[in-house]
Amino acid sequence: MTTMRMPIRGILKASAAAAIVFTGLSAGSALAGDAVPQNDLLNATLWMQRSVEYKATTLGIYNLAKGQLDKALADKTWTAIPDKQGENFGDKPPAIVLDADETILDNSPYEASLVTRGTDFSPKEWTAYVKDKVTRAIPGAVEFLQYADSKGVKVFYVSNRTVEEKPASIENMKELGFPMGGNVDTFLASGQEPDWKSPKESRFAFVAKDYRVIMMFGDNLGDFTDKYKGTHDERMKFFTDNAAHWGHDWFMLPDPEYGSWESNPFNNNYKLSADERRKMKIEALEPWKPKE
Ligand SMILES: [Mg+2]
């Protein structure tokens, strides 16, 4: 995830002063307006950790996908990536391609720690978090993938977690009950092969060489196309041009925490300060203007 995550995300850091004031408050203190650490991740992380609404959404997606899986297996002309599938793909064994983080793995404990500590994403800390193997499964994902596995579908994880993070990721996922491919390497990490960078289409093509890819799952446009860094209009065009895929053979999981949707308003430019990025995000809003 790291190589993808840095360029696609931005987390606004609580000001050090605010954090100091906050930690200095006693339980009964009235919170001054400027005393609470500000972090854009608060509501998103709270939603993922505490809402039934989030869990019902992901469980619903995976439940609906089950029905689509049965249809896909019965129809040998069905593929989720026709442009990469080649000829006679109906004879190839079926496979599913999924992203890992925030598609099947819930990393809200890490995000929550950024909020509570008033700090920002760090690749080094992220790797330590991965190696701690405390990642949780997103509701519905394990059951769906175990069902697919029982039907003879190979499950490939196309993740931007790094090669260094791969062994702990696999151990964590095994413990959670995800099918891990037996003697086939089904965790395709970023940087594992020279042409496996953050954009994922080269890895989709790699899977499609030997398998009929019947479904894809992600939480980011980059889990479906390398065009995720386009302008807002280009991203919208991709969305509408591919309308028939969504909920049919492509499944998008909600990720309110981070992603190319968030970095798009500041042109994916993480060299900008947190305040500059926030300003550009606010400018991207389409607000209602009350009458005078
Ligand atoms: Mg993801």
Side-chain angles (χ1 to χ4, degrees), residues 30-172:
L31 294 175
D34 60 355
V36 180
Q38 301 298 302
N39 190 309
D40 284 5
L41 278 169
L42 174 58
N43 266 5
T45 306
L46 191 66
W47 190 62
M48 287 183 68
Q49 291 202 329
R50 294 296 297 266
S51 77
V52 166
E53 290 81 354
Y54 171 68
K55 294 166 181 64
T57 302
T58 66
L59 181 61
I61 290 168
Y62 281 113
N63 277 342
L64 291 170
K66 228 178 191 181
Q68 293 303 97
L69 178 84
D70 294 337
K71 287 187 214 164
L73 289 176
D75 177 1
K76 299 275 192 195
T77 68
W78 180 304
T79 171
I81 39 175
D83 61 319
K84 294 184 177 58
Q85 200 67 81
E87 286 176 10
N88 302 322
F89 62 83
D91 299 333
K92 294 175 182 176
I96 293 176
V97 168
L98 304 97
D99 166 58
D101 294 307
E102 274 55 65
T103 296
I104 57 165
L105 301 179
D106 165 11
N107 300 298
S108 61
Y110 177 72
E111 310 295 330
S113 85
L114 299 181
V115 176
T116 55
R117 293 180 298 136
T119 190
D120 209 343
F121 177 82
S122 132
K124 203 173 152 203
E125 257 193 3
W126 168 256
T127 300
Y129 161 81
V130 168
K131 288 183 175 175
D132 245 8
K133 295 178 278 185
V134 293
T135 297
R136 306 163 177 183
I138 285 181
V142 171
E143 296 76 6
F144 169 72
L145 292 175
Q146 286 182 349
Y147 177 75
D149 185 59
S150 77
K151 296 279 177 180
V153 177
K154 210 60 162 176
V155 180
F156 285 90
Y157 307 99
V158 175
S159 171
N160 281 336
R161 289 193 177 194
T162 63
V163 172
E164 184 192 353
E165 292 158 355
K166 178 170 170 169
S169 302
I170 291 174
E171 275 180 53
N172 196 167

Side-chain angles (χ1 to χ4, degrees), residues 178-248:
F178 287 105
M180 296 310 294
N183 51 18
V184 176
D185 179 10
T186 53
F187 191 99
L188 312 184
S190 175
Q192 189 174 321
E193 298 293 336
D195 65 332
W196 293 4
K197 313 274 196 237
S198 292
K200 295 182 168 182
E201 286 196 34
S202 58
R203 283 175 277 174
F204 302 159
F206 173 80
V207 178
K209 261 193 309 181
D210 298 320
Y211 293 86
R212 175 165 70 97
V213 177
I214 55 174
M215 305 174 108
M216 301 179 74
F217 293 75
D219 68 300
N220 189 330
L221 200 56
D223 299 326
F224 303 87
T225 175
D226 288 356
K227 296 175 183 165
Y228 62 97
K229 281 188 178 173
T231 64
H232 177 63
D233 287 347
E234 286 163 350
R235 286 163 55 84
M236 283 304 296
K237 184 172 185 325
F238 183 86
F239 165 70
T240 48
D241 285 353
N242 290 283
H245 280 291
W246 304 116
H248 181 268

